[in-house]
Amino acid sequence: MAWHSLELEEVLEKLNVDPNKGLSSSGVEERLARFGSNILREERKKTIFERFLEQFKDVMIAILMAAAAISFVVSLFENEGFFEPVLIMLIVVLNAVIGVIQESKAEKALDALKKLSSPNAKVIRDGEQRIVQASNVVPGDIVLVEAGDFVPADARILSSASLKVDESALTGESVSSEKKTEAKVKEDATLGDRFNMIFSGCSVTYGRAKAVVVETGMQTEMGKIASMLSAEEETETPLQKKLNVLGKYLAIAAIVACAIIFLVGLIDGIPIMEIFMISVSLAVSAIPEGLPAIVTVVLAIGVQRMVKRNAIIRKLPAVETLGSATVICSDKTGTLTQNKMTLVKAFSDYDSTLEEISSENLPEIRSLLLYATLCSDGRIIYESGEEKQIGDPTETAIVFAAKRNGIEKEKIEEKYPRLAEIPFDSERKMMTTINRIENKNVVITKGAIDSVALRCVAGDVEKGRRIAEEMGSDALRVLAIAYKHIEEIPEILDPAEIESGLTFMGLVGMIDPARPEAKESVALCKQAGIKPVMITGDHKLTAAAIAREVGILSPEEKVVDGSELARMLDSELEERVRDISVYARVSPSDKLRIVHAWQKQGEVVAMTGDGVNDAPALKAADIGCAMGITGTDVAKSAADMTLTDDNFSTIVEAVKEGRGIYANIRKVVGFLLGTNIGEILTVFAAMIIWREAPLISAQLLWINLVTDSLPAIALGMEPVEEDVMKSKPKRKNEGIFANGLGYRVILQGIMFAFLTLIGFSIGWKSTGDIVVGRTMAFAILSLTQIFHSSNMRSNHSLFKTGLFSNVFHIFATVVSLAMVAFVLFIDPVARIFGLAELNASMYLLAILLSLVPIPVIELAKLAGVIRHRD
């Protein structure tokens, strides 16, 4: 129900409550039974075991488990021990454990929302004031709130005095909202414009109020956000989708290859058990057993890199999603701005000085700041060297500007003591103090220009109005300062008398300023082909001014507010979404609509935010980025990533890192799949040509799980290439093998198979011993893949990339070579793996054949067959 648009009498009638006596105890019990407790529903959390089991739903993990089962069957029939299946299952379990650890910060959004609720509430029941648990507040309760209190439920204001409420968690607006009992509010008014309402979970920053509760629990605005969080399913990342598709293709390829070999064997009269074992060997070669684990390790390495860049990742696959981002929907307050009201301009009527605030302002401006500070209750204190602002943000902005000019609030209050005051009132829109200055009683009034100007009898008020309009057009919040001298202080302070006959002194203008680095970061986003969009609960004029300043809003782009957005159908929004760069005065559901509209356009959407109001959109986006310092627990729990420095430029760095990680994953996948194709073709071709397997399953597993793994991990640790942000984002539906990688993988696999078969043939035919041939095949295939990993480091020439730019790769190469030597030259180990000792000439031939891919790939890069920018 639109409680904000009803007449107050109608609200009380519908709730059946006397505003002076409140509800009766029996009435409370009846309403508790009808409406339920004033708490947010909590969904059952998944146990660690359930989350552990979920890790096994991945297609690649299923393939690993199938490989373990196949290996177990082979070991059982050949009586070779269970080294292989145990090794594979260890990788499966390790992969699942890493996944659970990374996801251990399971969904805590509802818990965090509960923490925002006030534990106790002051209510009037049976005509008496009582303190009750907030969970027992019901619709119709008369509640009392004052500065420092959390609002226990959504309520319509009955009476108030100078009430201001911080609603930034819901609306994103940095300035406290002034509330008015008798405000007339339209039914379609946005949340930030409902001035006659207070909302659950928001805090009272100034004044006091009496209000009647209209909604509790899940029906409050906070509860609606909780409902959206529960209903919004987490999106599957592009990487997860691509690896799932890859896993399915690999499974199909393994089954088809096994079926062909099995059929060929049966036609040739090979015993069923023997052909079954050969088919199993082929299946083992088709399945990249280490791929899921290695991709997980690469992502984990990326997570650690992100931490150094001030970004914490909650789920591993989300790391690369930023690299795919085509749209960044950014909150304004605290993300693009500093979330700190700052005095930026001041105008002195004494000599018509309009000046930027600095640490060395002219005496006339310093005098204006002195008077404005004396007429402010805000304070700035320092605890352990950290600045803390206490009070209304507009007042602390004045106090800070004065402090920059050497005017210390504590010292001037001691020197010019406050003798009396008339607090701020939303009707008068002014605050007045009387201070003793230079042995005179000085009345100082601070407030809205329109209100102050009406009470001035001296000073150039009209010029002040013009300057205020100019400052307002720059989205500055403007306050006027005026003063007068009085002989005596009346016992009863009558605002009409005290705040009259004033002399206009000047104006101060403040704003929540843009972060200094935001403009450069937005420009980098645009250069990288990413469209930045501002979504804020702040006013349209303010939002547009900040958006222009940082470069988000260009002349041809549009600004839309919440009321305009509400009139748009989803289909209309989807058509217009590309032309709109700024959304102002929006609600949480609006943010969701905007994110979904971009996603319907096929874009990968990153959403940044810090408030409770951002949480549903953070969860719905392809990747949600919460602010770590100013961000609420709700936002952090709903997001995939948290920026620990709340800096918009960190998002750009995270995008760069994400692109680098995705490029590295492509290198890893290309490397591992190229080697697997080489293994498949080697076994397949040998079976077709000679009806013999050139490698047994144990040898293939050693190559897949051990020899290939370290170089693959090292590829995942390649530094991000410098020009990664100069290219457009990859398309959402772009496959992992796009831009020629698939063809290269196949051609490289053919090359590996050709070289291996040459070695196998020479070793077998020259000695008549197939074990010697298999040893040659094992040595060549292992070494070829180790050397080829250098080719995969970059599409640049290896000599341009630099041999020593990735020390991890050097280490991985040395260790992998040592492991191959361990199997080849340690006699007991060689026998376990079915290998024989070779003569020197065969070892030399194996090394020479293994080195062939390096000059071949270098020539391909030189000829432009392999281009740097895929």
Side-chain angles (χ1 to χ4, degrees), residues 376-392:
S376 295
D377 291 326
R379 293 182 179 276
I380 295 175
I381 62 171
Y382 292 87
E383 293 180 358
S384 304
E386 185 179 344
E387 176 191 304
K388 290 191 175 180
Q389 299 183 356
I390 300 173
D392 187 89

Side-chain angles (χ1 to χ4, degrees), residues 819-847:
M819 294 174 83
V820 172
F822 174 73
V823 173
L824 283 172
F825 300 124
I826 305 300
D827 190 57
V829 179
R831 282 201 301 272
I832 291 172
F833 280 88
L835 300 172
E837 186 177 346
L838 304 177
N839 59 42
S841 61
M842 286 193 178
Y843 282 127
L844 179 61
L845 176 63
I847 292 171

Side-chain angles (χ1 to χ4, degrees), residues 219-247:
Q219 298 305 310
T220 63
E221 294 300 325
M222 200 71 76
K224 291 173 185 175
I225 291 175
S227 296
M228 283 190 281
L229 276 172
S230 300
E232 196 61 44
E233 295 183 4
E234 293 188 5
T235 54
E236 193 177 46
T237 71
L239 180 63
Q240 287 172 317
K241 294 173 183 175
K242 288 164 189 170
L243 288 181
N244 284 340
V245 170
L246 174 60

Side-chain angles (χ1 to χ4, degrees), residues 238-269:
L239 180 63
Q240 287 172 317
K241 294 173 183 175
K242 288 164 189 170
L243 288 181
N244 284 340
V245 170
L246 174 60
K248 290 171 185 175
Y249 285 146
L250 289 174
I252 293 169
I255 292 169
V256 170
C258 288
I260 292 172
I261 291 300
F262 196 81
L263 187 61
V264 168
L266 286 178
I267 293 171
D268 279 6

Side-chain angles (χ1 to χ4, degrees), residues 305-324:
R305 282 188 183 177
M306 291 285 209
V307 169
K308 293 177 183 177
R309 300 279 190 177
N310 298 311
I312 297 173
I313 301 296
R314 193 164 69 90
K315 287 195 174 184
L316 283 180
V319 175
E320 65 85 28
T321 312
L322 266 175
S324 310

